[in-house]
Amino acid sequence: MIYVHVPFCHRKCSYCAFYSTAQRGGHDDYVAALVEEIEQRRDEMPWPVKTLYFGGGTPSILSIGELDTIARALSRNFDLVGLEECTIECNPEDLTDDYIKGLADTGLFNRLSIGIQSFDDTTLRTLNRRHNARQALDAIASANKHGFSNITIDLMYGLPGMSLDEWTDTCRTAAALPVTHISAYSLTLEPGTILDRQVARGMVALPSDDVIVEQYHMLVDVLEEAGFEHYEISNFCRPGYASKHNSRYWTRTPYLGIGPGAHSFSLAGGGFGVRRWNKADVADYISHHSYGEERLEEKDAYNEMLMTALRTSRGIGADDIPERYKKRLNADIQPYIGLGWIVADGGRYRPTAEGMLHADGMAAALFVT
């Protein structure tokens, strides 16, 4: 699996803390550097690539020609013959009929991830999004018309001024659309973001924790009633349409991250894995490709597995647990079974919907230090 990072945006969303830069056009040097890294790292993934993911930033800020250049470099340097899923993140305002047709014509992309966040125009303005609700609906319809049958959309809850009624309407609107996957995230107020400063100055107010929990349960109820499977705390899919790429992250599958700020994970050379990350700086990436890396110990690998497994409906099984930690986990997880947050099922510990809400806290309490 390969992740390609495109760090450019038309403008910064008020809640976003991911590395990105507001730069329009002039991406030639970046694309050339990306191709160079692809060529330099081809030997790090000698096996067939099953999934590709173009994330950002906003990958749809690139022209079809620029995306095609990247696609050709990937095809030259990696075995993509058995590629199962290739996702590109897009903003609704970029998805004109011509652009969608161009994506299809590259022959690479078969899954669109559309960043909608809300179907309420007032909320979209608060988030500093460039699109409106009508554009979001039109983008989905156009993608469907041009043959994209695997479409995922992003939504957010716990937003300033968002009532339970508004969120319920958003969930029901999303569930009725021709999409196969919905990712819905609770807002995390990140230090240094525009929204963080607005909250600190009293310009906007966030919902209470109780309201956010209500919104989470409403999300689960509406989407499950509509036939979506809740397979990860923030992810819901039609049967058979779970994200193949993201699901592999949660099972510690090796992956290659290309681009400034992109992370990689390798099991080569034995041990418990090596994480590598490119410096999150476009200028440095173009001139140097600086990176750092960390070699994981057994407890690091185990803790990472706990953290991801308890966020998924698959949970964690006896075969996933190193022998030395089994007795400890079996004892420490019992209180969460008593709370109804975990169920013991066929040799696995699976989180309930309520348990997923507390997944990070449970994992932290079960970590080996």
Side-chain angles (χ1 to χ4, degrees):
M1 54 192 283
I2 298 175
Y3 173 84
V4 179
H5 188 63
V6 180
F8 306 114
C9 291
H10 294 288
R11 67 186 183 204
K12 196 79 171 177
C13 296
S14 64
Y15 55 86
C16 183
F18 288 113
Y19 173 63
S20 63
T21 179
Q23 178 180 332
R24 301 187 187 185
H27 301 136
D28 291 353
D29 289 342
Y30 161 76
V31 172
L34 203 63
V35 170
E36 181 181 347
E37 186 184 8
I38 289 169
E39 292 171 344
Q40 289 175 347
R41 303 184 69 186
R42 60 181 298 172
D43 293 337
E44 294 180 37
M45 189 153 291
W47 49 82
V49 176
K50 298 298 184 181
T51 66
L52 279 172
Y53 196 103
F54 284 63
T58 310
S60 59
I61 203 172
L62 296 182
S63 69
I64 296 299
E66 289 164 337
L67 289 171
D68 192 58
T69 297
I70 299 167
R72 289 175 183 274
L74 290 166
S75 296
R76 285 195 308 269
N77 290 278
F78 300 102
D79 180 358
L80 304 185
V81 173
L83 189 67
E84 299 170 357
E85 179 185 274
C86 181
T87 304
I88 181 168
E89 293 181 352
C90 306
N91 279 351
E93 68 273 17
D94 295 328
L95 291 178
T96 63
D97 276 2
D98 285 346
Y99 195 86
I100 294 171
K101 185 177 183 302
L103 289 176
D105 288 346
T106 65
L108 185 66
F109 302 104
N110 59 13
R111 184 173 185 265
L112 299 186
S113 176
I114 306 176
I116 289 173
Q117 317 312 345
S118 174
F119 292 106
D120 182 83
D121 287 342
T122 300
T123 298
L124 289 170
R125 287 192 291 271
T126 298
L127 297 178
N128 203 31
R129 301 290 291 178
R130 294 177 71 239
H131 71 275
N132 57 39
R134 183 72 261 164
Q135 286 175 301
L137 295 171
D138 288 346
I140 294 169
S142 183
N144 196 258
K145 179 182 71 176
H146 285 285
F148 281 96
S149 59
N150 194 356
I151 300 170
T152 177
I153 61 174
D154 285 355
L155 301 175
M156 295 182 71
Y157 60 99
L159 299 175
M162 174 180 276
S163 67
L164 183 60
D165 285 345
E166 178 196 330
W167 177 237
T168 303
D169 288 343
T170 290
C171 293
R172 287 175 176 162
T173 297
L177 291 170
V179 300
T180 54
H181 190 283
I182 296 172
S183 296
Y185 304 97
S186 176
L187 172 70
T188 299
L189 193 61
E190 299 287 356
T193 60
I194 297 169
L195 189 58
D196 179 52
R197 294 193 291 271
Q198 290 174 333
V199 170
R201 294 168 185 166
M203 298 169 63
V204 297
L206 298 180
S208 68
D209 289 345
D210 287 344
V211 170
I212 294 171
V213 170
E214 277 189 287
Q215 291 175 350
Y216 167 77
H217 285 300
M218 179 59 68
L219 166 73
V220 174
D221 290 345
V222 170
L223 294 190
E224 287 189 342
E225 184 179 346
F228 284 83
E229 297 174 353
H230 187 194
Y231 73 100
E232 195 268 348
I233 183 171
S234 302
N235 288 280
F236 302 77
C237 68
R238 295 289 185 191
Y241 283 94
S243 168
K244 294 179 180 179
H245 185 88
N246 288 341
S247 294
R248 289 185 168 115
Y249 286 135
W250 307 328
T251 56
R252 301 187 79 245
T253 301
Y255 59 90
L256 191 62
I258 303 292
H263 285 236
S264 303
F265 174 65
S266 173
L267 290 170
F272 299 96
V274 177
R275 295 208 177 276
R276 167 177 165 169
W277 54 91
N278 290 342
K279 185 175 180 180
D281 184 290
V282 172
D284 177 87
Y285 180 73
I286 290 172
S287 59
H288 299 297
H289 288 188
S290 300
Y291 68 91
E293 64 179 27
E294 172 192 20
R295 187 168 294 277
L296 302 181
E297 299 178 5
E298 183 181 36
K299 67 180 179 63
D300 301 320
Y302 173 66
N303 289 344
E304 285 185 2
M305 181 199 48
L306 268 179
M307 183 173 62
T308 55
L310 293 181
R311 295 174 60 93
T312 71
S313 60
R314 182 175 180 273
I316 186 169
D319 292 343
D320 304 322
I321 307 168
E323 194 63 38
R324 62 186 297 189
Y325 298 137
K326 285 182 180 180
K327 184 175 180 180
R328 171 177 176 162
L329 178 65
N330 290 339
D332 291 351
I333 208 165
Q334 294 304 314
Y336 302 114
I337 295 175
L339 288 169
W341 294 358
I342 294 289
V343 293
D345 174 27
R348 303 194 70 82
Y349 294 123
R350 303 180 191 273
T352 61
E354 185 68 24
M356 284 187 184
L357 192 59
H358 301 279
D360 292 347
M362 281 195 293
L366 296 169
F367 280 170
V368 172
T369 57

